[in-house]
Amino acid sequence: MAAKGALWLMMLPLVVPVVIATNTNNVYQPCADAKIQRSDGFTFGIAFSSRESFFFNQSLQLSPCDHRLSLSSSNSQLALFRPKVDEISLLTINTSSFFPDSYGGYMVAFAGRKYAARSPLAFVANSTYTVTSFTLVLEFQKGRLQNLYWKRDGCSSCKGKSNFVCLNKQDCAIRTSSCKGRGGAVDCSLGIQLAFSGTDKHLSVLNSWYEVENLRQYSLYGLYSNLRDSLTSQYNKFF
Ligand SMILES: *[C@@H]1O[C@H](CO)[C@@H](O)[C@H](O)[C@H]1NC(C)=O
Ligand SMILES: *[C@@H]1O[C@H](CO)[C@@H](O)[C@H](O)[C@H]1NC(C)=O
Ligand SMILES: *[C@@H]1O[C@H](CO)[C@@H](O)[C@H](O)[C@H]1NC(C)=O
């Protein structure tokens, strides 16, 4: 009996981390509603298209999941991701065969349907400039996604780097003509740093955002290069 008890105790430290890391979110579609806890996977999408195509009646920005936008029939691309909640991740979108400017040059991050959330538009690229580095904050309340927004650092990450231009005092951009496949030599793949804030469904605080702030001084590309792959696929599969 005593021996059995000892064995059980010894096993505990091995078993517990596995249980904590189990995914409880079985929602894999970006246009469906999920309620998450820390360590769950969370699916969201990023849509690439022109500025106008994200607006209904030229004035109201809707979620790309909203059929009134009919993004699936316009010139657009979709990337889907499933990062782990509250883990620092760098998403990459390889631009060796995908030029964002040929799909309108803007992107919107989104998830959910009844509880639809979408980010503001972010400029990615046109024939002159390409922005390659972004930070996206996913804000949850009681495990539901409330808000998605782009966090800017006022171009501090490219200060003094001669091949970058600061656009609108917020985005570090490179000349599109410097990019691979466009006449230049630079890999202009997009890097999207993720951060989570708010609370999960058990009211545990998500705080990877604070870690990202502290990490800003380092090159996140170097630390997290190729952490995740992206999947750019046809819209029609998901809408
Ligand atoms: C679209 O906008 C116009 C004015 O800009 C307005 O008159 C019209 O009612 C709007 N349509 C819808 C469906 O909201
Ligand atoms: C993008 O893909 C190309 C070709 O497969 C590869 O050479 C390049 O290293 C990739 N870039 C990134 C950032 O993964
Ligand atoms: C590209 O975008 C920049 C910044 O928004 C703008 O100043 C420039 O006029 C645009 N160029 C073209 C060709 O659209």
Side-chain angles (χ1 to χ4, degrees), residues 6-23:
L7 185 64
W8 175 236
L9 276 180
M10 276 165 57
M11 281 171 66
L12 263 184
L14 296 176
V15 172
V16 169
V18 175
V19 171
I20 287 172
T22 300
N23 173 63

Side-chain angles (χ1 to χ4, degrees), residues 92-96 180 187 189 221 226 229:
T92 59
I93 296 177
N94 195 317
T95 51
S96 63
K180 261 185 200 158
D187 187 336
S189 289
Y221 245 134
N226 292 331
D229 268 335

Side-chain angles (χ1 to χ4, degrees), residues 9-232:
L9 276 180
M10 276 165 57
M11 281 171 66
L12 263 184
L14 296 176
V15 172
V16 169
V18 175
V19 171
I20 287 172
T22 300
N23 173 63
T24 64
N25 173 20
N26 294 318
V27 176
Y28 290 86
Q29 295 280 331
C31 294
D33 296 308
K35 211 167 181 186
I36 53 87
Q37 66 178 28
R38 285 178 82 165
S39 84
D40 276 353
F42 178 76
T43 304
F44 75 97
I46 295 182
F48 293 86
S49 197
S50 63
R51 174 180 268 286
E52 310 81 63
S53 60
F54 291 110
F55 289 91
F56 174 64
N57 206 7
Q58 298 177 349
S59 56
L60 183 63
Q61 193 198 337
L62 297 177
S63 162
C65 297
D66 194 309
H67 291 295
R68 287 175 289 173
L69 286 187
S70 59
L71 270 176
S72 52
S73 56
S74 60
N75 180 33
S76 61
Q77 283 287 303
L78 170 69
L80 275 191
F81 300 99
R82 190 172 169 88
K84 244 182 178 183
V85 172
D86 215 22
E87 245 176 41
I88 291 183
S89 329
L90 180 73
L91 312 176
T92 59
I93 296 177
N94 195 317
T95 51
S96 63
S97 57
F98 161 65
F99 300 135
D101 53 318
S102 33
Y103 291 92
Y106 285 82
M107 68 177 170
V108 166
F110 65 94
R113 182 169 298 278
K114 189 175 162 212
Y115 299 92
R118 44 96 187 140
S119 73
L121 273 72
F123 169 77
V124 184
N126 62 18
S127 56
T128 317
Y129 297 114
T130 297
V131 180
T132 57
S133 183
F134 299 88
T135 299
L136 177 66
V137 182
L138 295 91
E139 193 181 293
F140 290 83
Q141 242 159 51
K142 294 183 187 164
R144 282 226 190 271
L145 184 66
Q146 298 291 313
N147 200 6
L148 287 156
Y149 58 93
W150 305 103
K151 191 81 184 168
R152 261 82 183 212
D153 69 353
C155 293
S156 62
S157 62
C158 57
K159 247 180 213 129
K161 292 184 184 164
S162 59
N163 47 352
F164 282 94
V165 177
C166 183
L167 294 182
N168 306 316
K169 295 183 186 155
Q170 62 177 25
D171 290 319
C172 297
I174 196 162
R175 291 201 166 272
T176 301
S177 59
S178 307
C179 297
K180 261 185 200 158
R182 310 298 294 270
V186 179
D187 187 336
C188 292
S189 289
L190 311 183
I192 302 170
Q193 175 68 54
L194 288 193
F196 294 85
S197 75
T199 52
D200 78 354
K201 64 183 178 188
H202 307 301
L203 298 179
S204 293
V205 173
L206 308 172
N207 55 17
S208 68
W209 166 243
Y210 298 102
E211 295 167 45
V212 169
E213 286 233 284
N214 292 333
L215 281 168
R216 269 266 166 78
Q217 52 188 308
Y218 306 108
S219 160
L220 290 166
Y221 245 134
L223 280 174
Y224 295 104
S225 61
N226 292 331
L227 203 69
R228 280 178 200 284
D229 268 335
S230 72
L231 195 159
T232 305

